[in-house]
């Protein structure tokens, strides 16, 4: 923080010595979907650092967890020939945008900043199109978390679950004690987020990869997938009647307030606990989703950058890319966001126990083959396949479809979207 402040003072000085008051050296327009309390605090760090470097930040926030609405807006902007400077785009979708030929080349910034040495290969590979850097990573989120309020469990006389069988026992007790077992928002990306943690917990990492990376039909329509849908049905039974359409951060607030026992969500949820002044291990606990200890579903947020013509805009864009990879940003942003830095060799001293666990598991899971890309957050497939999976999981969630039918439909929907 001190370094950030020092940097802030320094760059402000540079900016104001060389520029007339009120003038900006360049401008960036940044499209993102970070609108919850914790998310807004996080993106404010980037805006501040960019402004300290003398540039104007034009904010283009498109509300909607998971980013589906943001991607719709982005498409229409690009189609009309007016792309933003940078957009929150991640995973294989970066390749889809690369194919469109609208992304810019960030190699000179990457070379000067030593990105090849500073990023794990699993991250830098995703940031490149055709061997060239086109995007900059801001973090690594772990998706397979469970956020629990220990006071709710205590009141209900329930044990915080580590397996899906234990989950059902605990959920029953919480419900019997008059509280909501699972805080959930019935939106397709949230259904998919819960579902992928169940699949990982029941099937394991190899099964997860065969289903959501290899898109193997036999795996998608298998007894283990049927079992996973069965468990999703059980989880659904323990959500409340107001869950349809609820935003994820409102579900997190239910756990914070002790109205609900637990939420299955990536660690952006921790950003909400942090913003509410809550402490892990005391006010809430973070545990791997049942059955997923030792495994890590990764979700890397990044900004892909579009071609800009104007020289000052290019300078501002390059500064944005440079700042994102600097330690000050990677630390402060991730302290707020709930994630861990994407950049290697960062000190975790200021991070809490959940982030320290995440950091340790990121390294160890990569050695044991249990580091898997999140399907629900666009890391494992192209968007068309992800959409087909979302549709099936949500259709199951919102009807009385049998688990067998769901698994059959999942395999055929994925086949059709490939
Ligand atoms: C993004 C996170 C974001 C979350 C909720 C995820 O897909 O990677 O950065 O906080 O959606 O909007």
């Amino acid at each position: 923080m001190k370094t950030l402040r020092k940097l802030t003072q320094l760059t402000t000085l540079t900016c104001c010595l060389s520029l007339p008051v009120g003038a900006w050296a360049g401008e960036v327009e940044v499209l993102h979907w970070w609108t919850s309390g914790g998310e807004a605090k996080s993106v404010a760090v980037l805006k501040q650092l960019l402004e300290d470097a003398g540039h104007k930040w034009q904010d283009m926030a498109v509300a909607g967890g998971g980013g589906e609405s943001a991607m719709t807006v982005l498409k229409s902007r690009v189609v009309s020939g007016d792309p933003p400077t940078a957009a929150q785009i991640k995973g294989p979708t970066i390749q889809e945008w690369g194919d469109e030929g609208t992304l810019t080349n960030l190699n000179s910034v990457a070379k000067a900043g030593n990105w090849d040495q500073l990023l794990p290969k699993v991250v830098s590979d995703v940031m490149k199109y055709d061997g060239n850097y086109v995007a900059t990573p801001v973090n690594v989120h772990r998706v397979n978390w469970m956020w629990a309020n220990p006071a709710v469990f205590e009141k209900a006389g329930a044990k915080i679950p580590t397996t899906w069988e234990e989950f059902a026992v605990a959920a029953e007790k919480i419900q019997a004690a008059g509280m909501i077992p699972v805080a959930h928002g019935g939106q397709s990306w949230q259904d998919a987020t819960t579902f992928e943690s169940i699949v990982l917990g029941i099937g394991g990492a190899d099964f997860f990869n065969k289903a959501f990376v290899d898109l193997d039909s036999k795996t998608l329509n298998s007894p283990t997938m049927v079992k996973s849908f069965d468990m999703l049905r059980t989880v659904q039974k323990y959500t409340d009647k107001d869950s349809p359409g609820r935003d994820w951060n409102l579900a997190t607030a239910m756990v914070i307030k002790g109205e609900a026992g637990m939420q299955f969500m990536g660690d952006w949820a921790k950003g909400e606990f942090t913003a509410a002044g809550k402490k892990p291990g005391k006010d809430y606990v973070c545990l791997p989703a049942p059955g997923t200890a030792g495994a890590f579903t990764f979700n890397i947020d990044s900004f892909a950058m579009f071609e800009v013509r104007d020289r000052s805009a290019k300078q501002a864009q390059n500064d944005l890319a440079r700042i994102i990879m600097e330690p000050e940003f990677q630390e402060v942003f991730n302290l707020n966001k709930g994630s861990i830095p994407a950049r290697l060799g960062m000190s975790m001293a200021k991070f809490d126990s959940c982030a320290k666990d995440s950091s340790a598991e990121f390294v160890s899971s990569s050695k044991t083959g249990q580091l898997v890309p999140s399907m629900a957050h666009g890391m494992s497939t192209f968007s068309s396949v992800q959409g087909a999976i979302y549709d099936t999981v949500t259709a199951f969630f919102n009807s009385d479809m049998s688990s067998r039918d769901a698994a059959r439909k999942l395999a055929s929907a994925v086949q059709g979207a490939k």
Side-chain angles (χ1 to χ4, degrees):
M1 205 55 177
K2 222 193 256 156
T3 350
L4 176 65
R5 228 173 281 133
K6 239 194 267 160
L7 178 101
T8 307
Q9 284 156 6
L10 242 175
T11 44
T12 310
L13 199 67
T14 332
C15 109
C16 298
L17 283 179
S18 53
L19 283 171
V21 178
W24 298 104
E27 178 175 324
V28 293
E29 190 187 13
V30 184
L31 189 149
H32 61 90
W33 66 87
W34 289 328
T35 54
S36 78
E39 291 174 335
K41 255 181 101 178
S42 313
V43 75
V45 173
L46 187 53
K47 176 177 189 265
Q48 183 63 55
L49 287 170
L50 191 92
E51 287 181 354
D52 290 347
H55 302 298
K56 184 171 178 201
W57 172 280
Q58 189 73 43
D59 198 52
M60 209 184 158
V62 182
E68 271 180 284
S69 312
M71 289 303 103
T72 308
V73 171
L74 178 63
K75 275 178 200 143
S76 71
R77 283 285 303 267
V78 177
V79 165
S80 63
D82 181 29
T85 318
Q88 191 185 346
I89 305 178
K90 38 184 197 160
T93 309
I94 295 176
Q95 304 304 312
E96 295 180 305
W97 283 104
D99 289 342
E100 297 296 317
T102 45
L103 297 181
T104 197
N105 185 316
L106 296 171
N107 283 350
S108 59
V109 189
K111 195 155 183 259
N114 224 7
W115 294 6
D116 271 340
Q117 276 68 50
L118 289 173
L119 291 174
K121 198 166 170 339
V122 65
V123 179
S124 60
D125 281 352
V126 180
M127 302 302 135
K128 292 178 182 175
Y129 176 74
D130 225 3
N132 300 312
Y133 276 101
V134 293
T136 321
V138 298
N139 64 7
V140 178
H141 271 303
R142 186 186 194 188
V143 182
N144 58 312
W145 280 118
M146 175 180 66
W147 308 93
N149 185 321
V152 172
F153 279 82
E154 205 178 308
K155 250 191 247 161
K159 175 180 166 287
I160 299 181
T162 57
T163 64
W164 285 106
E165 289 73 25
E166 286 178 9
F167 159 80
V169 176
E172 190 59 35
K173 288 192 176 165
I174 294 173
Q175 193 161 59
M179 292 169 291
I180 300 162
V182 179
H184 184 71
Q187 297 174 346
S188 53
W189 74 272
Q190 294 188 61
D191 300 342
T193 299
T194 302
F195 184 61
E196 76 171 15
S197 282
I198 295 175
V199 170
L200 183 64
I202 290 182
D206 286 345
F207 180 83
F208 183 101
N209 281 330
K210 266 196 211 139
F212 297 140
V213 180
D214 303 342
L215 308 176
D216 174 58
S217 284
K218 266 205 193 127
T219 308
L220 289 164
N221 185 12
S222 63
T224 304
M225 196 58 82
V226 173
K227 235 177 121 188
S228 303
F229 275 111
D230 281 345
M231 187 47 73
L232 183 63
R233 186 63 83 213
T234 304
V235 171
Q236 182 205 22
K237 220 174 81 187
Y238 292 112
T239 61
D240 66 318
K241 67 171 184 8
D242 295 329
S243 67
R246 176 187 287 136
D247 286 330
W248 67 272
N249 52 320
L250 301 182
T252 309
M254 291 163 66
V255 179
I256 293 177
K257 289 189 232 149
E259 293 166 7
M262 59 201 130
Q263 182 186 21
F264 301 105
M265 188 49 68
D267 43 22
W268 45 94
K270 201 188 70 190
E272 299 305 295
F273 285 98
T274 307
K278 302 295 177 191
K279 298 275 173 277
K282 181 174 156 273
D283 305 309
Y284 69 97
V285 294
C286 54
L287 278 177
T292 70
F296 191 117
T297 324
F298 70 85
N299 170 25
I300 301 160
D301 282 313
S302 49
F303 282 105
M305 313 252 173
F306 289 85
E307 202 61 72
V308 290
R309 272 176 235 120
D310 185 79
R311 260 185 66 194
S312 65
K314 184 72 205 161
Q315 185 54 52
Q317 183 179 58
N318 284 344
D319 281 346
L320 179 69
R322 172 182 58 76
I323 288 167
I324 287 175
M325 274 294 288
E326 281 176 356
E328 287 79 6
F329 169 77
Q330 294 267 330
E331 179 174 84
V332 185
F333 175 86
N334 284 301
L335 283 169
N336 289 321
K337 188 72 172 65
S339 37
I340 56 172
R343 181 185 162 124
L344 292 170
M346 294 275 305
S347 158
M348 292 301 288
K350 289 189 190 151
F351 286 83
D352 62 25
S353 55
C354 303
K356 284 184 179 131
D357 282 358
S358 178
S359 178
E361 292 282 9
F362 184 60
V363 175
S364 66
S365 64
S366 72
K367 293 183 183 143
T368 59
Q370 294 195 85
L371 179 64
V372 301
S374 167
M375 171 280 293
H377 294 276
M379 294 286 122
S380 78
T381 69
F382 289 115
S383 51
S384 53
V385 174
Q386 184 198 30
I389 301 175
Y390 272 24
D391 289 350
T392 313
V393 172
T394 288
F396 172 82
F397 205 90
N398 293 300
S399 69
D400 59 1
M401 190 188 293
S402 75
S403 299
R404 269 178 202 289
D405 280 352
R408 238 192 322 266
K409 284 202 166 112
L410 186 66
S412 75
V414 167
Q415 194 58 37
K418 269 207 260 188

